[in-house]
Amino acid sequence: MIGTPRVALLLVTAAFMVAATALAEDARSASFAEFDARAQAGESLTVVFFGASLTWGANATDQALTSYRAQTKVMLEARYPKARFQCYDAAIGGTPSLLGVFRLERDVLARQPDLVFLDFSANDDNWHGSPLGFASYEALLRRLIGDGGAPVVAVMFPFKWEIGPGLASGTTGHLKGLVRRLEIAAAYGVPTGDAAALVIDRVRKQETTLEQIWDTDGVHPGDAGYRLFAE
C-alpha cells in the first residue's frame, strides 16, 4: 500500500527529483541521432516497450508477432537492416504510470535501453487525468532521459469509446488527459506517436472503421488495430 494520494504524490515527486540536478547534462546523451548512427552502423541495440496491456498486446493473435511492439520491431528492422535489435516487453496489464514509477529501475533501466517506447496513456485516463497521474508520467520521462540516458517515444493509445467525439471535430482536443501528456512530452523534447489522432484521421477518411480496429472489445484492438498503433 502506498497510502493517501498526497503521500503517493510526494513519493513520485521524490522519485524524479533525485536526478534533477544532472538532468540537463544527461539529456544530451538521450540522442536519436546517436541511435540512428549506431543502428546504421549495425550495432546491437536494446529497445524496451514500457506500458500496460496495450503494450503487451491483449487481443493480438500472437503477442510476439502481431502486437504493436512486435510490428514496431519489424519496422525498425526494415529501417535498419544491419542492426541487431533486442526488444523487451516491460508491460503489466491494467496498470498506470504510478506503478511504473516503482518498477522503472527493475523493468526498464536495468536493461540499459538504447530506445524506450512509453505507454500508460489510456490507463492514466485520456479523458481527464489527475495531478498524481501527470506527476507520475513526468517522473518516468525525467528518469528515462536522465538516469537512463535513452531517447524516448511517448505513445498515446486510445480506447474505442474515446474516439467518437473526435470524429466530428477531427481532433483529440476532447481528451484533456491525453493533451496534457502531449504537452509534458513536448516540454522534455520527447516525440510522440499519437495513435488517437491517427485513428480519427483514418476513420474520417473512410480507410478503416472503429469496428475493424477494435474487432473484439472496445479496450484492446485486434491485429489491424495494433498495426495502426505501430504506425
Side-chain angles (χ1 to χ4, degrees):
M1 297 296 290
I2 58 174
T4 66
R6 178 175 176 79
V7 171
L9 182 58
L10 290 172
L11 288 171
V12 170
T13 301
F16 72 77
M17 286 302 290
V18 170
T21 57
L23 179 62
E25 179 179 351
D26 289 340
R28 288 196 293 271
S29 66
S31 168
F32 282 96
E34 180 181 344
F35 178 89
D36 177 72
R38 293 177 61 197
Q40 291 197 54
E43 292 190 25
S44 178
L45 297 164
T46 297
V47 181
V48 176
F49 294 85
F50 190 32
S53 59
L54 293 174
T55 288
W56 178 69
N59 278 348
T61 302
D62 185 332
Q63 284 76 29
L65 297 175
T66 59
S67 62
Y68 111 84
R69 57 188 170 81
Q71 298 189 59
T72 299
K73 180 184 179 184
V74 170
M75 293 178 181
L76 285 169
E77 290 172 337
R79 175 67 178 83
Y80 301 108
K82 294 181 180 180
R84 293 156 292 153
F85 293 104
Q86 181 67 53
C87 295
Y88 290 98
D89 170 22
I92 296 180
T95 62
S97 56
L98 174 59
L99 180 59
V101 169
F102 293 96
R103 65 186 185 88
L104 177 64
E105 186 71 41
R106 182 196 69 183
D107 295 348
V108 182
L109 297 183
R111 303 287 189 185
Q112 296 183 311
D114 300 296
L115 176 64
V116 177
F117 289 86
L118 176 65
D119 176 17
F120 294 118
S121 54
N123 284 8
D124 275 355
D125 183 7
N126 282 327
W127 281 107
H128 303 291
S130 68
L132 179 58
F134 296 137
S136 301
Y137 190 78
E138 182 174 357
L140 292 176
L141 286 177
R142 194 176 188 112
R143 287 206 64 202
L144 285 167
I145 296 170
D147 294 358
V152 179
V153 178
V155 291
M156 307 292 166
F157 295 151
F159 296 140
K160 179 180 179 180
W161 58 83
E162 296 172 336
I163 296 300
L167 293 178
S169 65
T171 72
T172 59
H174 62 289
L175 298 174
K176 305 303 183 184
L178 184 148
V179 169
R180 178 59 183 144
R181 276 182 290 281
L182 289 173
E183 293 172 345
I184 293 171
Y188 283 82
V190 171
T192 52
D194 187 350
L198 184 60
V199 167
I200 289 172
D201 179 66
R202 295 292 173 83
V203 173
R204 281 169 59 89
K205 291 178 178 177
Q206 299 184 341
E207 295 178 6
T208 187
T209 66
L210 295 182
E211 289 68 33
Q212 290 173 327
I213 296 170
W214 286 275
D215 57 4
T216 302
D217 62 57
V219 176
H220 309 103
D223 292 352
Y226 282 124
R227 186 161 53 249
L228 195 59
F229 280 18
E231 286 189 47

